Amino acid sequence: MQVRYKSGNDLKLSLDEILNETGQQNIDDSIKKWLAYEALVDNPKIDTSADKKKFSFKPIYKVQDGKSLMRLLRRNHIKGLGGVLLEEIEESLQNVDKVLKAYAKNIIIVTRPGDKKKILFYNDHFADDMHVDESIQKMWRSIDVDSVEDLKIDNHLKEAGISCLKGSTPIKPVELKRKAPAKAYQLKKRVDNEHVQDILETYEDQTVDQKEMELGNIHIA
């Protein structure tokens, strides 16, 4: 299916047509049923017709020549979407090396440091003849971001409306220092009336009437 697409043939085929082209006409009906209702329909690389009876290859980007590739890269550049992986372009574009060579002036190829995958960017020549004052150039070169964490740089770019290519550089998580647990506050028991504890009397074994009488006597006295 992918070979047909890369050759420019994007017509959808029925299951029988696919089996004829691949020389697999003698497979069991159970396998045919599985292909028709599960394998092909659920495959993210397969484009299915509305009636789910015909199928074709479904690439990430529908790029089949140099012009369509340039339209894709230029659109991403204008919208700030960044570059595209070369391996994703190779899914649908035949003779990739020839196309890249033909449009070399308009394409920038960057190798990602982590996994060494190549990324294609649109080379915008609009600013080629633009003159930037030398004082501004010196200010630009004086800016040092080596000490700034990748996560902070990523946040600053997002705030400025600039999208970043995901996975280009692994962002190290910020290590948060844990605070030492606070010491438990020990409550000191407060003792009231310590200075008169020798003259205080307890009334635990006396009745209410006895207490009232004694209080009355104290008042009379």
Side-chain angles (χ1 to χ4, degrees):
M1 302 290 284
Q2 184 178 9
V3 173
R4 292 179 73 257
Y5 184 90
K6 293 178 73 171
S7 65
N9 189 350
D10 194 21
L11 294 176
K12 288 181 171 59
L13 300 178
S14 65
L15 178 58
D16 290 334
E17 291 171 335
I18 294 173
L19 295 176
N20 287 334
E21 285 203 6
T22 56
Q24 302 181 67
Q25 299 93 336
N26 298 325
I27 62 174
D28 295 337
D29 290 338
S30 59
I31 297 178
K32 284 186 178 181
K33 186 177 180 180
W34 172 74
L35 288 170
Y37 297 103
E38 294 183 37
L40 292 174
V41 175
D42 297 335
N43 193 325
K45 294 294 183 181
I46 298 296
D47 190 14
T48 309
S49 62
D51 58 3
K52 297 184 178 181
K53 292 183 178 180
K54 291 194 173 185
F55 313 93
S56 64
F57 180 68
K58 182 181 179 181
I60 296 176
Y61 300 108
K62 291 187 176 182
V63 175
Q64 293 180 298
D65 53 29
K67 291 182 179 179
S68 57
L69 173 61
M70 294 310 304
R71 284 196 297 268
L72 171 65
L73 296 180
R74 189 171 184 274
R75 184 197 67 186
N76 280 19
H77 174 70
I78 293 174
K79 294 185 176 181
L81 300 176
V84 296
L85 286 169
L86 175 59
E87 64 180 29
E88 295 176 347
I89 298 299
E90 290 174 336
E91 284 191 351
S92 58
L93 182 59
Q94 197 170 17
N95 300 321
V96 176
D97 293 337
K98 290 183 179 180
V99 173
L100 295 179
K101 187 176 180 180
Y103 291 88
K105 293 182 179 180
N106 299 317
I107 299 176
I108 299 174
I109 302 176
V110 177
T111 302
R112 200 159 61 182
D115 51 16
K116 305 301 180 183
K117 291 184 178 181
K118 292 183 177 181
I119 307 168
L120 308 181
F121 293 90
Y122 178 73
N123 187 10
D124 193 349
H125 295 283
F126 173 76
D128 286 354
D129 299 327
M130 183 180 294
H131 175 71
V132 179
D133 189 87
E134 191 172 349
S135 61
I136 297 178
Q137 295 183 37
K138 289 181 179 179
M139 290 176 60
W140 174 263
R141 296 190 184 102
S142 66
I143 299 174
D144 182 16
V145 295
D146 291 340
S147 60
V148 183
E149 296 173 351
D150 292 337
L151 185 60
K152 289 184 179 179
I153 296 175
D154 188 52
N155 290 335
H156 286 315
L157 292 174
K158 287 179 180 178
E159 291 174 1
I162 302 173
S163 60
C164 303
L165 184 64
K166 300 299 181 184
S168 58
T169 302
I171 298 176
K172 296 180 180 179
V174 180
E175 295 183 2
L176 299 177
K177 294 182 179 179
R178 295 184 177 180
K179 296 182 178 180
K183 293 182 179 179
Y185 181 73
Q186 297 180 352
L187 295 175
K188 293 183 178 181
K189 186 176 180 182
R190 183 177 176 181
V191 181
D192 295 330
N193 300 329
E194 285 186 343
H195 59 291
V196 293
Q197 60 182 356
D198 295 335
I199 61 174
L200 291 177
E201 296 182 7
T202 178
Y203 296 94
E204 291 179 358
D205 298 331
Q206 297 178 345
T207 62
V208 175
D209 293 338
Q210 289 175 329
K211 292 177 182 179
E212 290 179 352
M213 290 175 62
E214 290 180 3
L215 290 173
N217 293 334
I218 293 173
H219 179 68
I220 294 172

